[in-house]
Amino acid sequence: MKLLLITAVREFEKDIKQILKNAQVKSFSYKNVNGFKDNSEDALEANWFATNMQETESVLFYAFVHQEKVDGLFEKVKEFNTIQVSKSNIHLAVLNIERCSQ
């Protein structure tokens, strides 16, 4: 078993649900969260919001998945991110689970 974590801006919520459905992930949880980015190291002219701290309405998905679904999920997320015109992407991480009750 693997623990799947996905974060993205809230606007991608429906897209993430569709990716999970296409990957046959039938059970998952999600929660609205505030994303945070410290822009203090960016050049002032590159910082469109002219502030060092930026919060974004985001979403966090998590699910327990079998190993065989992981590569397909990474591929689907990569495809989605490739066609985005915005700077935002879907971020995906997978963690090993040492023990899990079922």
Side-chain angles (χ1 to χ4, degrees), residues 57-97:
E57 293 181 351
S58 301
V59 64
L60 170 66
F61 283 78
Y62 42 100
F64 292 100
V65 298
H66 292 285
Q67 173 65 45
E68 60 269 10
K69 296 185 186 222
V70 171
D71 290 338
L73 281 161
F74 270 97
E75 192 59 38
K76 290 177 189 324
V77 167
K78 181 180 177 181
E79 290 171 11
F80 179 86
N81 288 340
T82 300
I83 62 171
Q84 291 310 305
V85 294
S86 70
K87 287 187 177 183
S88 285
N89 285 317
I90 294 174
H91 303 280
L92 172 63
V94 176
L95 299 128
N96 289 325
I97 300 297

Side-chain angles (χ1 to χ4, degrees), residues 25-55:
V25 176
K26 299 185 187 290
S27 297
F28 58 86
S29 300
Y30 71 98
K31 181 171 179 59
N32 291 325
V33 296
N34 290 331
F36 173 81
K37 183 175 182 182
D38 180 359
N39 293 323
S40 61
E41 294 183 13
D42 293 345
L44 187 57
E45 60 274 2
N47 185 348
W48 199 76
F49 295 99
T51 181
N52 290 340
M53 308 299 178
Q54 179 181 350
E55 286 192 27

Side-chain angles (χ1 to χ4, degrees), residues 4 16-25 28 61 73:
L4 178 78
I16 295 169
K17 288 177 181 176
Q18 190 61 48
I19 288 170
L20 291 169
K21 181 179 179 179
N22 291 342
Q24 298 180 348
V25 176
F28 58 86
F61 283 78
L73 281 161

